[in-house]
Amino acid sequence: MDLWMKRDDMLHPQVSGNKFRKLKYPLQALQGQSTHVVSMGGIWSNHIHALAHAVHALGLPATALIRGASGMHSAMLDDVVALGMQVQFVNREAYRQLRADDTAWRSHVVVPDERTLWLPEGGSAPLALRGVAELVAELPFIPDYLVLACGTGATLAGVLAGLGGRSRVLGIAAISHGDYLRADISRLLDQAGYPDYQNYELLTGYHHGGYGKVSAGLTDFCHEFQQETAIPLEPVYTGKMMYALRQLWHDGYLAQNARVVAVHTGGLQGARGFARR
């Protein structure tokens, strides 16, 4: 196997990886406008962290609806508050409603006399796919496989859009019970005006217990990988992807002469939560 890594973690020091790509066109569309940006995430959300830096640079106000209870703390929340983002906690039931209904945020945020842009969890709006699709044109060749981690499915959908039916994409679900992502990938492609590409496989057995969960083997792997390559990993997304890729190679899932590109989708700030453990 000939293995390459697309280092999207190096796109920007703060708005890194797939978040840079997902936010590019939704935020570009706001230039010259007075718009309040509203989104959602957890207390270590890579999306909220990247969004706070992006809207601060653009001079736009923003509110984050955070899953949790008042008083919860993380370095990520400290960062976004320091950048001027408003933080409002919502309970788990309300958070589930935000996922299910794109208008539910209106019951939590009142923004008088301003235009408002709602960005769903992970920034996974249809327009985000356009930015992610640009990743493909930056590759020196079209590989046999592109491998990436999946949280909401938008990055995988965007890569499919960029490939236009070429190659094959392996999506490593970072969450448990991730089979529902197939429907979300099809929905996002349709909403963004792309064909329902099916040249991908969604692998759901490498989540190590679920979103934000890790195993001792995963933790050791991330540490050893960084020691050997000087490439940093975090265990929530890219660490699980690389761990899975190693296992797939050992199991003979990939042909010996396969050319493979693994996409490093950034999100390294989230590793701070595991350092505290």
Side-chain angles (χ1 to χ4, degrees):
M1 179 177 69
D2 186 10
L3 176 62
W4 298 59
M5 178 173 278
K6 178 72 169 74
R7 293 290 305 277
D8 267 14
D9 58 308
M10 301 176 71
L11 279 176
H12 188 277
Q14 300 295 345
V15 191
S16 78
N18 60 343
K19 306 309 177 188
F20 182 98
R21 296 187 185 279
K22 288 182 182 180
L23 292 172
K24 178 179 178 179
Y25 288 106
L27 294 185
Q28 273 190 5
L30 303 183
Q31 288 186 344
Q33 303 176 14
S34 177
T35 302
H36 194 111
V37 182
V38 182
S39 195
M40 61 188 286
I43 65 171
W44 289 103
S45 168
N46 294 323
H47 163 63
I48 295 298
H49 191 260
L51 178 63
H53 281 278
V55 296
H56 177 75
L58 294 171
L60 297 173
T63 297
L65 301 177
I66 300 295
R67 181 180 62 246
S70 181
M72 293 183 71
H73 176 267
S74 73
M76 190 283 290
L77 292 177
D78 290 344
D79 289 348
V80 304
V81 169
L83 289 165
M85 176 177 271
Q86 299 177 42
V87 170
Q88 185 171 329
F89 289 97
V90 297
N91 61 33
R92 290 183 179 276
E93 181 179 350
Y95 198 85
R96 284 193 292 268
Q97 187 62 26
L98 290 170
R99 282 175 169 166
D101 181 358
D102 278 348
T103 66
W105 64 271
R106 296 182 183 278
S107 64
H108 299 279
V109 180
V110 177
V111 184
D113 303 322
E114 284 186 310
R115 291 188 56 188
T116 308
L117 171 68
W118 164 251
L119 291 175
E121 189 174 34
S124 298
L127 194 56
L129 273 61
R130 180 181 171 192
V132 176
E134 293 176 345
L135 178 159
V136 175
E138 298 170 8
L139 298 175
F141 58 89
I142 298 299
D144 300 305
Y145 292 94
L146 271 87
V147 188
L148 51 87
C150 293
T152 64
T155 300
L156 194 153
V159 168
L160 290 173
L163 287 169
R166 297 169 294 173
S167 186
R168 192 152 191 86
V169 182
L170 302 182
I172 311 301
I175 56 176
S176 58
H177 310 293
D179 289 320
Y180 71 89
L181 291 173
R182 293 184 177 88
D184 288 352
I185 291 164
S186 292
R187 174 182 55 80
L188 284 164
L189 286 167
D190 178 66
Q191 291 177 345
Y194 295 104
D196 187 16
Y197 294 115
Q198 293 295 312
N199 53 311
Y200 76 94
E201 298 168 56
L202 182 66
L203 305 180
T204 59
Y206 298 94
H207 54 74
H208 295 263
Y211 178 73
K213 305 293 185 182
V214 300
S215 64
L218 175 62
T219 301
D220 291 344
F221 170 80
C222 291
H223 176 73
E224 292 166 5
F225 184 88
Q226 183 164 340
Q227 289 291 107
E228 293 176 6
T229 67
I231 299 173
L233 297 180
E234 46 71 40
V236 181
Y237 292 106
T238 307
K240 291 180 180 179
M241 181 267 292
M242 290 304 299
Y243 184 100
L245 184 53
R246 181 185 66 171
Q247 192 62 48
L248 292 171
W249 167 248
H250 284 320
D251 292 346
Y253 189 91
L254 301 169
Q256 288 191 0
N257 61 348
R259 294 201 298 176
V260 180
V261 171
V263 182
H264 193 317
T265 49
L268 293 170
Q269 71 83 28
R272 295 180 293 177
F274 293 90
R276 292 180 61 191
R277 300 179 191 180

